[in-house]
Amino acid sequence: MVGKKTRETGRTILISSPKGGSGKSVLARHLLVSAAQAGLKPFGLDFDRQQTLTKWGARRDKTREAFPDFAATPIEAAELQNWRGALQRRNGYDLTIMDTPPSVEDHLPAIDGLGVAADLILVPAVCTQDDVEAVGPWIRMLTEKGFRAAVVLNRANRRTSSFARMRGALIKAGPVCPTEIPQLEDIHVPSIKGLTLLDYSKSRGIAPFEEIWTYVRREIGL
Ligand SMILES: Nc1ncnc2c1ncn2[C@@H]1O[C@H](COP(=O)(O)OP(=O)(O)OP(=O)(O)O)[C@@H](O)[C@H]1O
Ligand SMILES: [Mg+2]
């Protein structure tokens, strides 16, 4: 049955947002690395035709050939039209992270199906009016459908009044992860080699990702 959580399929997180460029793939790869570093067996399912996560994974595999100490994060590309079949591939993994394309409104039945299978839906949102206008109704709808979901604020600058305003507006719409991801100019640099900030113990910016991982683990009971 779809959505049945057996030990074989482990836990599942769906990352979904109606807005493009909100940080879905960045969050997906940091969660995959967090899980691997915690000694879990993570698995990435990339439903985006752009295959941003899959390509990152291929670069990571290449890097790991020379530096095998970087944790393994297997990733497979999947099609939203065949979401049921894709879910079968989770077997044997502790945590599956599902990355999706931005145009969720065009794939509502698939997103619904993946949502049912997920223990938690994370909705990254950049702190702008445009993002809040798109994400507010989305998180409200997910919550009304009975899904466990939370917004993750991204590219946040706590010192601005607009950040507080956007955060306030989203809190009224649905659950918001207590830690936000700040604006990090160099976040794309480790990605060139298929890495994340978490792969460098001294990198600036790892603390928010560690906190988000702690939050996520608690939410899904992992
Ligand atoms: N916290 C951040 N600080 C600075 N840049 C960021 C941050 N988060 C994401 N970015 C940058 O924003 C861009 C979009 O991020 P990402 O690819 O994760 O978004 P996405 O939601 O997956 O996009 P798409 O909808 O196209 O799949 C990337 O270039 C990424 O490096
Ligand atoms: Mg993406």
Side-chain angles (χ1 to χ4, degrees):
M1 188 184 94
V2 172
K4 188 176 169 205
K5 281 141 203 143
T6 63
R7 239 178 355 162
E8 290 74 34
T9 55
R11 298 288 201 280
T12 302
I13 293 175
L14 171 63
I15 303 185
S16 153
S17 166
K19 232 19 203 168
S22 58
K24 295 180 289 297
S25 302
V26 161
L27 183 59
R29 52 199 191 220
H30 283 81
L31 288 175
L32 284 165
V33 171
S34 293
Q37 288 179 343
L40 299 168
K41 269 177 77 181
F43 177 51
L45 267 178
D46 184 2
F47 286 94
D48 190 348
R49 280 206 196 131
Q50 304 259 327
Q51 300 198 355
T52 308
L53 192 64
T54 310
K55 289 174 193 164
W56 172 83
R59 296 197 295 276
R60 188 172 182 88
D61 288 344
K62 201 135 196 268
T63 298
R64 289 189 67 251
E65 284 172 18
F67 304 99
D69 283 353
F70 289 119
T73 59
I75 292 163
E76 288 181 17
E79 291 185 357
L80 276 175
Q81 293 89 318
N82 184 23
W83 60 270
R84 281 191 181 82
L87 288 173
Q88 309 294 325
R89 300 194 231 156
R90 295 174 296 166
N91 274 5
Y93 293 103
D94 299 316
L95 178 65
T96 300
I97 307 287
M98 306 192 289
D99 191 14
T100 53
S103 52
V104 276
E105 299 92 339
D106 301 337
H107 307 282
L108 280 180
I111 299 289
D112 255 0
L114 296 178
V116 170
D119 299 275
L120 178 65
I121 306 178
L122 293 176
V123 184
V126 177
C127 304
T128 65
Q129 183 67 27
D130 291 345
D131 266 60
V132 171
E133 277 173 4
V135 168
W138 183 245
I139 186 79
R140 190 173 280 124
M141 187 205 70
L142 292 175
T143 310
E144 280 169 7
K145 282 188 178 179
F147 292 129
R148 182 189 284 255
V151 170
V152 179
L153 293 167
N154 188 20
R155 309 187 81 147
N157 183 349
R158 276 189 171 223
R159 281 169 299 189
T160 60
S161 59
S162 65
F163 165 71
R165 216 169 39 247
M166 300 305 155
R167 185 167 179 271
L170 285 170
I171 284 174
K172 284 185 191 136
V176 175
C177 172
T179 299
E180 66 275 355
I181 307 168
Q183 171 72 25
L184 296 162
E185 295 308 331
D186 290 341
I187 202 165
H188 62 98
V189 175
S191 160
I192 296 164
K193 297 274 180 214
L195 302 175
T196 65
L197 296 175
L198 293 166
D199 289 297
Y200 301 95
S201 57
K202 287 199 179 119
S203 66
R204 196 177 77 84
I206 60 174
F209 287 106
E210 287 174 346
E211 287 177 22
I212 291 168
W213 169 239
T214 304
Y215 165 81
V216 162
R217 272 193 104 155
R218 194 177 301 128
E219 284 292 303
I220 63 176
L222 188 66

